[in-house]
């Protein structure tokens, strides 16, 4: 295509509000190439974190600016039907807040706990009862015609850290999601590793690295108020530890000691530049960071830098949004032409 | 450059024996592009495995065909001066066998135990006394003007398996070197992972994954003949186990149980397609393979396929040769022009 023809087409896209000019940055010798990108607000993506304790949905534009969010609480032991209903309600509420319908969403990503197989199921393992048989893509494809992806929560959280979080400068990252459950994901040469069967990062499965027992120290803390909700245990014990409660301090010490063993296993396997600590503990990281660093130094050969996530509990949903934007980019600038409406999902 | 000019130059290189034509394979429509490569025998590389029990040197042509080898025995507890003298003697003998001098070698790679830093030293850790202060590149650069590289033994062995061994079809590989010492290396997307500081794969450092104690079961086997050489323990116990010696069977059972824990840690971290079992046990793998597979199945979430190396104790030297050939390729086809003599090392 001649420069002139391309110009005519691109100008009409600019006039119609589809694309915008990227202004050249820095000094340029000669006439700079004209560069364009989608106008961020012509399309939107949705990321949904379906966790043990909550469902969180975010809608963002193609730059990742959040335009709406919604949240529903669930329980780890909830049946799949209850969790799916909470997911549906959260998605509907988020769309309503944004004054959108499902056809306005160009890509949808669902984050779940457990390794995700090639069909979007957690067939190998899910900590949530019955969930390993659930097909989130099938469940959502009656409403959404856009591409739908399912990915492991830790892998999405790790993507979020490299995108907008505390590890933007690092290519080799071990991400540890430490809350009332402990999980991990690996970024190597800037790419999240899925592994041959989607199960990379599942070091916590191995009893000797102690992640499975680590949280029991918090749950059995003697000074815990009776009747405390399970999802409030971590926050309570960390706060009590900071306030000088001796039983809480012992519980936290044991918890961090065990947390560091699994983290050290990943550090020794990968020798990453950075370890990112995310999940529930990241909001009270001041209580544990020194000890965590000290344990990691004791256990590993070359202790990496440890950084604490600043995303609170939104990291998984943010990573889901990022994966959706990647999907839009792949569709729009790949072999397929941009559709005038949201791209349709390729039948799975 | 015009096609004609290029032709004239390349033809003279063919006439002089530097390059040869690669015949087109498969069916080609139209006139196929003419492709050339170095005549494999115009250059040679050397790989040297400096291990605990032996030094092994190989000289190969640029296709990896072995033209000479030499071997000297050493002891794990030998001082660096003794090990360096053995290395020098092995290199000299290998050159002599090939009727070559150091200037005929286009690239030299030394494989050592322990993580290798950016200066070619094992400054973080070496199991060999005093060796972490040794600078193999400095030691060899008085004789060799070619590029000299130092790399970790397990990483080289893993490269050999993907190059010519049992994992040529796999891109994600966990390599376990299991002998009287246990080590590991990771290949991800076809590339050996060095890690941020060269220490990827060092899972054995972590006591809870049991590699450090695994070999003690063999060393304390009650039926071991008194006075047996340390480097013969593994072979003896495995052979006795195969012959029905009950104490040997118990020792091997405990050894494999521990070996599988560290292997499972890497499998759970990476979710590889293949685990390659190399090192001393690979020659008696029939004795342990079923139990190793069973343990790995128990411990991991998605058990990978386990394959046994067929390289015996030459895998590290073979990988060293491969890294040398890569270095020659990078020099010859990269930004630098081919020198009429062996390429000179860039001053480190």
């Amino acid at each position: 295509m001649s420069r002139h023809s391309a110009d005519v087409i691109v100008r009409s896209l600019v006039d119609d509000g589809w694309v915008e000019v990227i202004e050249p940055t820095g000094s340029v010798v000669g006439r700079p190439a004209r560069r364009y990108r989608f106008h961020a607000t012509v399309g939107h993506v949705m990321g949904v974190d379906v966790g043990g304790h909550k469902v969180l949905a975010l809608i963002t534009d193609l730059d990742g600016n959040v335009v709406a969010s919604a949240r529903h609480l669930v329980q780890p032991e909830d049946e799949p039907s209850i969790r799916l209903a909470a997911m549906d309600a959260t998605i509907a509420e988020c769309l309503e807040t944004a004054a959108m319908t499902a056809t306005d969403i160009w890509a949808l990503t669902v984050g779940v706990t457990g390794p995700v197989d090639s069909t979007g199921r957690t067939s190998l393992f899910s900590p949530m009862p019955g969930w390993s048989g659930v097909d989130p893509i099938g469940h959502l494809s009656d409403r959404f015609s856009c591409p739908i992806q399912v990915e492991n929560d830790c892998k999405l959280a790790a993507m979020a850290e490299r995108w907008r979080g505390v590890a933007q400068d690092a290519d080799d990252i071990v991400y540890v999601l430490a809350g009332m459950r402990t999980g991990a994901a690996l970024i190597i040469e800037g790419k999240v590793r899925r592994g041959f069967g989607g199960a990379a990062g599942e070091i916590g499965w191995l009893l000797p690295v102690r992640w499975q027992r680590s949280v029991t120290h918090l749950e059995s803390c003697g000074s815990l108020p009776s009747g405390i909700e399970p999802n409030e245990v971590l926050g309570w014990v960390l706060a009590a530890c900071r306030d000088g409660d001796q039983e809480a301090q012992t519980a936290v010490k044991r918890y961090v000691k065990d947390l560091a063993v699994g983290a050290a296993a990943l550090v020794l396997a990968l020798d990453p530049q950075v370890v990112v600590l995310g999940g529930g503990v990241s909001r009270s990281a001041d209580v544990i960071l020194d000890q965590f660093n000290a344990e990691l130094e004791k256990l590993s050969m070359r202790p990496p830098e440890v950084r604490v996530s600043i995303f609170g509990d939104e990291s998984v949903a943010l990573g889901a949004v990022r994966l959706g934007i990647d999907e839009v980019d792949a569709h729009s600038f790949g072999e397929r032409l941009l559709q005038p409406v949201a791209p349709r999902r390729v039948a799975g």
Side-chain angles (χ1 to χ4, degrees), chain A residues 96-116:
Chain A
E96 202 185 319
T97 306
M100 290 181 186
T101 66
T103 54
D104 294 315
I105 301 301
W106 286 23
L108 173 61
T109 306
V110 180
V112 296
T113 301
V116 175

Side-chain angles (χ1 to χ4, degrees), chain A residues 166-348:
Chain A
V166 295
Q168 294 175 44
D169 60 318
D171 286 331
D172 287 1
I173 303 162
V174 165
Y175 177 86
V176 177
L177 184 121
M180 287 308 285
R181 209 179 48 76
T182 315
L186 316 171
I187 289 181
I188 299 176
E189 290 197 348
K191 269 178 61 183
V192 170
R193 295 305 308 168
R194 300 203 76 253
F196 192 68
E202 297 291 343
I203 189 76
W205 189 257
L206 192 69
L207 287 176
V209 303
R210 300 190 196 160
W211 278 4
Q212 287 184 45
R213 82 169 196 197
S214 61
V215 175
T216 61
H217 302 304
L218 306 177
E219 289 165 337
S220 61
C221 174
S223 51
L224 268 183
S226 63
I228 187 169
E229 289 288 324
N231 64 335
E232 288 169 3
V233 167
L234 178 70
W236 190 93
V237 177
L238 289 169
C241 176
R242 190 190 288 115
D243 294 345
D245 180 308
Q246 290 228 327
E247 292 194 69
Q249 286 177 340
T250 303
V252 169
K253 209 165 173 176
R254 289 176 180 161
Y255 168 73
V256 175
K257 214 173 165 66
D258 285 352
L259 182 67
V261 176
L266 294 174
V267 164
L268 284 160
L270 271 300
D271 189 20
Q273 179 182 356
V274 173
V275 170
V276 176
L277 209 49
V281 302
S282 61
R283 274 170 295 186
S284 307
D286 59 299
V287 180
I288 68 148
L289 195 57
D290 285 349
Q291 192 202 336
F292 185 72
N293 268 313
E295 298 285 344
L296 217 49
E297 185 142 357
K298 252 191 286 180
L299 296 170
S300 52
M301 194 177 258
R302 197 195 63 75
E305 189 188 345
V306 177
R307 299 179 191 167
V308 177
S309 173
I310 51 167
F311 285 140
D313 68 355
E314 296 203 340
S315 57
V316 177
L318 277 171
V321 159
R322 172 71 236 189
L323 196 62
I325 294 173
D326 287 347
E327 176 68 23
V328 170
D329 286 348
H331 268 78
S332 307
F333 300 112
E335 56 212 17
R336 295 177 51 179
L337 287 172
L338 175 66
Q339 309 290 320
V341 294
R344 293 195 69 80
R345 188 168 69 92
V346 179

